[in-house]
Amino acid sequence: MSLDRRHLLQFAAASLATLAFGAAAQSYPTKPVTLMVPYPPGGLSDNIARRVNVPLAAAMGQPVIIENLGGASGSIAAQKVLHAPSDGYMVFQGSPNELILAPLAIASIKYKPEDFRQIHRIALAPMAILARAGLPAKNADELAAYAAKAAKDGKPMTYASVGVGSFYHLLGAKMSKDLGVPMTHVPYKGAADAIRDLVGDQVDIFITPYGLAQTEFIKQGKMKAVAVLTPQPQRLLPGVPSTADSKALKNFQYEIGTGYFVKRDTPEPIVQAVHKGLQKVLTDTQLKAGLFAMGQEVSPAQSLADADASYKQEIATFQAIAKSIGLVAQ
């Protein structure tokens, strides 16, 4: 076979494959879609997914199956999405934790935040400093005093996270830096495990989003909320003081969003189809009620351009926090 003919056949084959893929993109979805959750069952991320998958399935006309895959600050699940075809059949439910911070903290992670495209944010999560029930602090200033005393006594205060490089790890490290006292990081695979040990008095604090399950533990006296991380009172913790009201942690104010992502090179018709489905999901009254009850603030509607722009802004913001604490990949 001549070289020219071989090239012609290769070009024809590539063209046919492109046309077939384009046709598949236009008809998407034709089979179940996997919603990849980067933490074990039982945590806040998993609970959000189980509020979303049913109305999303109805909107897209195909089942949406949840897959939980925890570990390595959510990066194992993120890497699995990147290794899958760019066909929209694996959608990542994530946050800056897994996509922005994990690559900064874990040297073995080779992906970049820009490898993903945010299709739509689903919710914003107010955050709080939760503590074991016996920790002697009722607000941020008392917590600062306790941390200073614990460090002086040679038993630094411990803080939980969902993994090295996670937002919760960074917040604990930043708190330690802001207070000028050493604190000990205790990483877990997911929030459910961290909460379990907080209730069991195995760790001192957990700076985290929260929901009804956590507020129920607080009501039962199994743990406490020391401070919220927004200036205004929070709906599920109306009587808990804000860090903004303290002297020691006055500027310690944060929140984190949950969004839906695909690989950056996913064809535009598929991205538009998922975006359209998520837009319908946000009008679902049961979803709104479920997220509201969990303490989540439901996201306003976003265009694809708005979703991508907000993600790029998060990349800049979270990378700046990592730089401020000197986070080094290990």
Side-chain angles (χ1 to χ4, degrees), residues 59-286:
M60 299 188 70
Q62 289 289 341
V64 175
I65 301 167
I66 295 172
E67 180 176 345
N68 297 90
L69 184 59
S73 295
S75 67
I76 294 175
Q79 287 172 325
K80 184 170 182 177
V81 173
L82 287 181
H83 290 154
S86 303
D87 58 8
Y89 287 101
M90 188 171 286
V91 177
F92 187 79
Q93 178 186 286
S95 72
N97 269 333
E98 309 85 32
L99 304 185
I100 304 172
L101 297 175
L104 295 174
I106 303 174
S108 61
I109 295 176
K110 303 306 179 185
Y111 64 77
K112 305 182 295 297
E114 294 80 8
D115 292 337
F116 292 86
R117 178 179 180 181
Q118 181 169 254
I119 296 178
H120 209 296
R121 177 181 282 164
I122 196 74
L124 273 171
M127 302 184 70
I129 304 172
L130 305 181
R132 58 181 175 82
L135 192 142
K138 299 187 296 295
N139 55 52
D141 284 330
E142 291 183 6
L143 181 67
Y146 175 83
K149 184 178 185 304
K152 185 177 180 181
D153 293 342
K155 298 179 180 179
M157 186 170 73
T158 56
Y159 66 94
S161 83
V162 296
V164 173
S166 67
F167 188 37
Y168 319 134
H169 171 207
L170 263 68
L171 289 184
K174 193 166 192 312
M175 177 187 287
S176 176
K177 181 181 178 183
D178 290 351
L179 295 179
V181 297
M183 292 164 47
T184 300
H185 177 216
V186 184
Y188 293 87
K189 284 188 175 181
D193 294 337
I195 292 294
R196 179 201 64 216
D197 274 9
L198 196 67
V199 170
D201 286 334
Q202 300 302 305
V203 66
D204 289 321
I205 65 169
F206 184 26
I207 308 169
T208 180
Y210 63 91
L212 283 177
Q214 289 74 39
T215 57
E216 186 59 31
F217 280 136
I218 293 168
K219 290 176 183 177
Q220 294 172 6
K222 294 180 179 179
M223 65 183 188
K224 63 172 63 176
V226 175
V228 297
L229 271 59
T230 52
Q232 68 277 12
Q234 291 182 11
R235 288 186 290 104
L236 294 183
L237 296 174
V240 176
S242 168
T243 52
D245 299 326
S246 71
K247 293 180 179 178
L249 293 170
K250 186 175 182 61
N251 296 316
F252 197 76
Q253 301 170 41
Y254 299 98
E255 61 184 3
I256 191 168
T258 297
Y260 291 94
F261 299 80
V262 292
K263 294 168 68 174
R264 176 66 63 174
D265 61 351
T266 301
E268 194 66 18
I270 293 174
V271 172
Q272 291 173 356
V274 179
H275 180 261
K276 183 179 179 181
L278 290 169
Q279 290 267 345
K280 289 183 179 179
V281 165
L282 284 170
T283 67
D284 186 87
T285 54
Q286 289 188 332

